[in-house]
Every structure is written in structure tokens, then in C-alpha cells.
Amino acid sequence: MKIKNISVDNIITPLGIDNISPVFGFVVSDFENDGINGEITYQIKVSDFKTGDIFWESDKVVSNDFIGIKYAGKALKSFTKYRVEVSASYKDLSVCGESYFETGIIDEKDFCAKWISCGADTETSPVFFKKFELSKKVESARIYISGLGHYEAKINGRNVTETLLNPAQTDYEESVYYNVFDITDFLEDKNVVRIELGNGFYNEAKPTAWNWETAPWRDKLKLYAQIRITFEDSTVETIVTDESWGVNTDGPLTANSIYFGEDYDARREISDDCETRPVVIEPAPKGKLKAYNSDMIEITSVDKPKAIVKISDDTYMVETPFVTAGCIRFTASAPAGTKIRIAYTEKIDENNKVMLDTGLFGGVQCQVDTYIFKGEGVESFTPKFSYKGFRYVEISGCPFEVTAENIDILTFHNNVKKVTEFSCSNEM
């Protein structure tokens, strides 16, 4: 008999829950090997990971139901790591399992950042910057971040996460998600935070069948972030979005849409030392800011094309092995100013041309990216604030031959863990 997969709010070792009454679950394995054929007695204990103070010690429960066990202890505190211990027994067998969880922002007074924007609804994606220095040794650090519609966050040139299209879409009139990431290993003596925003479903401007362009929450893109740093001497420093941040709107992502695609001009790329202007303080969205605790969108497979057909002097049709959701990563070299067009579709016509007007987007072609080369060796382009459903990809404007070496097919979706399989002798 073993205790495993201890979960808190259905997540293993969650980072940043804000539920004041989380639910616990666990798995008891090796029933058959140990001859267990009856109910098990279990108990759950929750304690402060650092101090050992006990916050909850449940009654001993006799059951075979180990999910949805509601916390009934002392009030949990913001920004705190807790140890979870599960003990179980059956006749003469006794086992223990241990895990942990960490709270996010539970108390309203702990929301101490401001929402900031570039002050206008610009086509070019705004990029926000904050520089700071540290003089003490860091024990741990977290970033609590929401960017509407989506954000890409980097610290000292490194993405804080490999997950995509954060935060998850909501009815922004009701709720807005923030994410929590461990950034302990990202920090140095001198630091630069760089956060770029994209429209997502929050600020879709073009007509669609679902009327996103008239959504009541539509507004200019805005950012909320708190960086909480705990030092080895137990002191804490918090860096928040406020008037001290700067913003640049002259970057390379000159247009982006969750449905229609992105325009990227690599000649306009900006460094962490670029010029910035003051940010604008914005009112908070109407929806309640809350922690996101579910499976996030991740790249789940990277594949190569099934076939590539040249259909004109500068245009190629790429066939993928299967219909998928995601995008391609395109890598090539070309002279500065060379513009390629990447169009995604699930269908092609008899001339191997993509069929882009699905009737859902007001006659406007959707799922189209453009990329302009800066002409500095090998360049790579992956859209960051859109996704596509596709089987075929048309790449045009190429002054070079397109081969499989140029293309990676990226499939991404919420990375829900596979828990079972099904097979059948009937091929149907």
C-alpha cells in the first residue's frame, strides 16, 4: 500500500492557489498486492512548511473515497508554502505520503500592484520594462502576473514559462486570471523585466461570427504584475507594476489577432536597453482577479511536414501529417526586407491553394502571419499571440527553396494528463 498523487484543488504541488477552502485528494495504490479488500483509515495534516505550525489535522476517516476532501483548518495566509501529510492504515499496514502547496494572493490587502498600459489602443504590441538591482542573496522569488489579453514575460532575456497564451481566456466582466511562476533562478544582481502584451480574446478588433469585436470588456491592453523576493535573511522585497515602469510601442510585432494572425518585422526588434516612455495607470478590469490553477497550454509535439509542394516560383504548400491546432516555427535566412506570408488552412482547392475564408470572419482571410527578415543570418519566427487549426500551410514570398529543415510543426493545447486508454477490436 502506497500514498501517491497528493493533490490540492486537483493539482499536484500547485504554486499560488487562492482558495481559502481548498480540496485535497490522493491515490492509494497496490491494493491487490497487499490483500486490501475493505475501507482504509486516513488522516490529513497541513502545516507551515517553514515553521512547522499545524494549520489543520483532520479527523481519522474510514473510507475508500480519497477525493474532494475539504480543508477545515485555520485561515491560510498569502504567499505561504504548506506541507501536506497523508497517513493511511489498513489492519496492520500503515503508510505515509507527503507533498506541498503554495498560496498566492489570498488577502485583498496583498494586491499591491497597479494596472498599467501604454495609454492607447495601438496595433503594435506594447512592451513594458522594469530594471532593478539586488544586493542580498535570494532564497525564493515568485512573479504574480496578468496581462490582458495575453502576455509574454522575460527576466534577463529568459522566458519565465514555456506555457503559451497566458492568462487563460475568461468572461473578463466576471473574472481575470493571474499566473504564478517560480523565478528564483532567473534573478541576478542587475535585472531587467520585459513583458509584451497581445490582444487575445480581450481586444479582438476584427469582425467574427462570435462578435468578439463588440465584447463589453474590450479595452486597451493592460498589465498587472507583482514580483515577491524573499532573501536568505528572511526579509522580503516586492516589485510591482506602477509609475516606475516604462513602455515601448515601436517593437517588431506590428499587428496580432488570436484568429487572424500576426505581422512581425524583425528589423524593428528592440533591446532591453531601448528607449521607453512613462506608462499610464489604468482602472482594474471589472472581473475579479483570481489565481489560475489548471492545466496550462503547452507545446505537446514537434513534427516535420508530410510533404512540401512548390506551386509557383516563390510559393510552397506544406502538408502536415494530421489536422492539428498550433502553428509552425519557420527558420531561414533572407536579405533584409524580405517579406514572407504564412497562411494556414484545413482545406486546399484543386490548384493546391489554401482556402482561407471560412465564412466566420466577415470575408476577411484568417490564420495568416507575415514575417519581414532583418537579414542577419539565420532567423526564426514563431507566432506568440495566436493559434491556428490546420492541415496545410502556404508559404509565399520565398527567395529560397523551402524544405523540411525550415519547418517545425508545433501542436499545443492544455496539457491535460492522459489517465486512461481505450482500444477495440472493431475497426468501425
Side-chain angles (χ1 to χ4, degrees), residues 162-299:
E162 294 182 355
T163 60
L164 308 171
L165 297 176
N166 295 311
Q169 171 202 355
T170 60
D171 178 343
Y172 303 102
E173 296 277 281
E174 299 293 330
S175 61
V176 175
Y177 285 129
Y178 69 86
N179 303 110
V180 187
F181 301 107
D182 183 348
I183 57 168
T184 307
D185 295 336
F186 289 72
L187 299 181
E188 303 170 1
D189 293 341
K190 295 183 178 181
N191 301 277
V192 181
V193 181
R194 174 187 181 127
I195 303 172
E196 184 173 12
L197 300 184
N199 290 310
F201 291 99
Y202 179 71
N203 188 35
E204 178 53 68
K206 295 179 181 179
T208 70
W210 305 278
N211 300 317
W212 294 110
E213 73 281 4
T214 59
W217 56 70
R218 269 201 68 197
D219 197 2
K220 62 182 76 71
L221 307 185
K222 58 182 68 174
L223 170 66
Y224 182 100
Q226 292 181 212
I227 297 174
R228 179 181 169 88
I229 305 167
T230 303
F231 298 100
E232 289 185 355
D233 64 2
S234 297
T235 59
V236 174
E237 181 177 350
T238 302
I239 294 158
V240 301
T241 44
D242 59 13
E243 296 87 347
S244 68
W245 287 56
V247 64
N248 182 296
T249 54
D250 299 318
L253 190 55
T254 56
N256 74 92
S257 164
I258 193 75
Y259 287 123
F260 295 92
E262 305 181 18
D263 297 332
Y264 190 96
D265 188 344
R267 300 170 300 178
R268 293 165 53 106
E269 290 178 344
I270 55 178
S271 73
D272 287 351
D273 293 318
C274 68
E275 292 186 2
T276 63
R277 67 174 189 270
V279 300
V280 175
I281 305 301
E282 294 286 344
K286 187 176 180 180
K288 177 179 173 59
L289 190 57
K290 57 193 293 187
Y292 179 80
N293 281 293
S294 190
D295 298 290
M296 302 177 79
I297 297 175
E298 299 182 45
I299 296 173

Side-chain angles (χ1 to χ4, degrees), residues 319-380:
E319 181 182 358
T320 70
F322 40 73
V323 176
T324 192
C327 65
I328 68 167
R329 178 170 54 224
F330 189 79
T331 304
S333 300
T338 301
K339 181 178 181 178
I340 63 169
R341 180 176 182 268
I342 305 172
Y344 298 78
T345 185
E346 294 182 4
K347 297 180 179 180
I348 55 176
D349 63 21
E350 63 275 8
N351 299 313
N352 282 330
K353 297 291 290 182
V354 294
M355 300 172 66
L356 296 175
D357 184 4
T358 65
L360 300 174
F361 301 99
V364 179
Q365 291 184 339
C366 63
Q367 302 195 147
V368 178
D369 298 328
T370 64
Y371 180 83
I372 301 177
F373 286 82
K374 59 185 175 184
E376 299 178 6
V378 177
E379 302 176 38
S380 184

